[in-house]
Amino acid sequence: MSARGRARLLAFYPREWRERYGGELLDLLEAEAHDGRLRVATYLDVIRAGLGERLRSCGLRGDAVPPRERVRAGVLLVLSSWAAFVIAGIALQKLSEHWQAVTPAADRGLPRAAFDAVRVAAVLGSLSIVAGVLLVARPILTLIGSGGLPRIRRSLGWALGVTALTAVVLVAVVIWAHHLSSVARNGGDALYGLAFLGLVTCVVGTVTAWTVTAVTTARSLDIPWGTLRRETYLAGATTLAMTAVTGAATVWWIAVAGSPSGLFAPGFPWLMVAIVSTMVTATGLALTGTHRAIRATTEGPAAVGD
Amino acid sequence: MSERTNDPTLLLLTSLTSGPKHGHALLLDIEAFAGVRLGPGTLYGAITRLEQRGLIEPVGSDDRRRPYRITAAGAEILTAAVADLTRIVDEATARLRRERERASAATGKGAPQVATR
């Protein structure tokens, strides 16, 4: 690896760390290089350590930052996990369209109960997120009032731009879909398929952009300790809802797949596996975030880690 | 507080006990006395943590490579860790000896094949 390549490795570390130790680490990498090349193990070690430093600097690992920041990091991890969960939920909603129409009445009992549970838990999770946003409404207004808008202007601009693009693509795809047969809409028209893929990308981009904006904004807010504690409870409620949705969606999938509904095409159910995998991963991350936030709240606002 | 034997921070504190060293010298020294080759990322992770806790500190240097030395607090932590480890090693040695004697008495064929230092 060239000197420039070694310098690129530093990008895995947070800026503050690079400013303090970056030069020394580069010197060490230079000494470790044989014929200008690093071993793969060395490369992986630096990447792993760099990502670890990033987690530490944002409060998701170790006790180097105060409990207040660890609570905030844990809650924001739950929020980010929820965003991934929403994307999986949209895919599930699309996949499950008309499932009752194609499933024999005698086989609808269990999947209907599971699907209702998915909806109820999803609504409860969404309400927790909305309540969490409302809780920090005052700090957000304070941030804007004190001239803090430039700190979030960039990510907010991106989010608004991607949202506008998604709206345009959505309208175009919906108009196009009305002129196509059901067969053409479901894989018969390759060009429409591409447009639909573009719409999916836009939706994922929109959810991601707003999540980044929310995280950037939340990191700039001065949030009272009491509000952080309440945010932790809401994060716990969101995580419980995510666990319930994941479990119920899995039950629904197994129940529908076991009936002669024909909802799932023959072969390996890639999409459903991707949906459930995303839900399980997001729920696992949310559990991690909630656990970290709860642990930090027990230390109190004044405690500072070693 | 107790450090673990496989913790890079303990290896690093041990290495710095014999005098200030920079990153590459630390890697070579640790490999020489412990047979462990730390990765550069792992080493600087440990350096970061130890410096934050005030257990090591950088030594002023004109060279690009910055040496580090152990602080009084670091020496105290290392002493406590070594005492912990010594207790464990002593206990393990005593138990292994007793087990060897018990097996020897039961079978009359000698000790079980257990490696000790």
Side-chain angles (χ1 to χ4, degrees):
Chain A
M1 178 182 279
S2 64
R4 183 182 287 183
R6 288 197 292 275
R8 273 200 212 108
L9 274 177
L10 287 185
F12 286 96
Y13 286 85
R15 186 171 48 82
E16 299 80 13
W17 194 96
R18 286 200 301 266
E19 286 170 1
R20 169 63 185 84
Y21 299 101
E24 294 176 46
L25 180 58
L26 275 182
D27 276 338
L28 181 54
L29 291 175
E30 196 177 322
E32 286 285 288
H34 302 287
D35 299 328
R37 298 172 69 92
L38 287 173
R39 292 183 305 136
V40 174
T42 304
Y43 188 80
L44 295 176
D45 177 71
V46 173
I47 292 173
R48 181 194 56 73
L51 294 176
E53 291 301 333
R54 279 198 180 271
L55 289 177
R56 280 193 176 84
S57 72
C58 69
L60 285 174
R61 186 193 270 190
D63 300 329
V65 298
R68 180 183 293 278
E69 294 310 313
R70 277 180 267 151
V71 173
R72 193 193 305 250
V75 170
L76 289 178
L77 181 59
V78 175
L79 176 68
S80 305
S81 307
W82 175 259
F85 207 79
V86 165
I87 292 169
I90 292 170
L92 178 67
Q93 180 64 35
K94 178 68 186 162
L95 181 75
S96 62
E97 272 181 337
H98 317 304
W99 76 268
Q100 301 204 55
V102 296
T103 303
D107 295 324
R108 283 182 211 155
L110 179 60
R112 182 182 294 142
F115 205 72
D116 287 346
V118 168
R119 283 179 169 158
V120 171
V123 168
L124 291 176
S126 303
L127 288 175
S128 301
I129 294 291
V130 171
V133 173
L134 290 176
L135 266 182
V136 291
R138 188 188 290 263
I140 290 174
L141 292 175
T142 306
L143 174 76
I144 295 170
S146 60
L149 197 58
R151 287 150 79 178
I152 58 170
R153 185 176 286 156
R154 193 175 165 194
S155 56
L156 188 62
W158 266 102
L160 289 171
V162 176
T163 304
L165 177 66
T166 302
V168 170
V169 174
L170 175 67
V171 169
V173 168
V174 167
I175 292 172
W176 191 357
H178 274 94
H179 293 88
L180 294 175
S181 67
S182 174
V183 176
R185 283 200 306 269
N186 290 285
D189 187 326
L191 209 56
Y192 176 79
L194 268 178
F196 190 79
L197 199 63
L199 175 61
V200 169
T201 307
C202 284
V203 169
V204 172
T206 301
V207 173
T208 306
W210 281 108
T211 306
V212 169
T213 304
V215 170
T216 308
T217 306
R219 289 200 171 283
S220 306
L221 297 178
D222 185 14
I223 305 174
W225 180 250
T227 305
L228 278 174
R229 284 178 69 93
R230 283 190 282 279
E231 292 283 4
T232 302
Y233 304 142
L234 289 171
T238 305
T239 304
L240 280 177
M242 290 168 73
T243 308
V245 169
T246 303
T250 307
V251 170
W252 174 84
W253 173 27
I254 293 169
V256 172
S259 75
S261 67
L263 185 69
F264 298 111
F268 192 79
W270 291 107
L271 184 56
M272 199 59 210
V273 168
I275 289 170
V276 173
S277 301
T278 305
M279 285 182 167
V280 169
T281 306
T283 305
L285 288 172
L287 280 167
T288 306
T290 301
H291 177 249
R292 186 152 183 85
I294 289 173
R295 243 185 49 183
T297 50
T298 60
E299 294 181 29
V304 177
D306 58 9
Chain B
M1 194 193 80
S2 174
E3 303 290 346
R4 304 267 299 267
T5 50
N6 59 351
D7 190 334
T9 58
L10 179 62
L11 298 171
L12 210 148
L13 288 175
T14 305
S15 177
L16 291 181
T17 305
S18 63
K21 293 178 190 69
H22 55 69
H24 195 233
L26 278 165
L27 284 188
L28 296 177
D29 185 46
I30 289 169
E31 186 173 21
F33 76 76
V36 176
R37 181 74 175 184
L38 296 179
T42 304
L43 178 77
Y44 266 91
I47 287 176
T48 307
R49 233 62 63 219
L50 288 172
E51 194 186 354
Q52 281 171 351
R53 289 160 59 186
L55 305 184
I56 65 171
E57 61 188 8
V59 181
S61 167
D62 295 334
D63 196 349
R64 283 175 66 198
R65 296 174 173 182
R66 191 195 307 247
Y68 290 88
R69 69 177 160 220
I70 191 166
T71 63
E76 199 175 310
I77 289 287
L78 181 61
T79 304
V82 168
D84 280 354
L85 290 172
T86 304
R87 269 198 303 278
I88 294 170
V89 169
D90 289 347
E91 184 62 28
T93 307
R95 289 186 185 195
L96 284 168
R97 191 186 309 117
R98 284 199 294 273
E99 177 61 19
R100 203 160 42 232
E101 289 166 358
R102 191 194 61 76
S104 179
T107 63
K109 289 180 181 175
Q113 296 299 304
V114 181
T116 58
R117 295 207 306 178

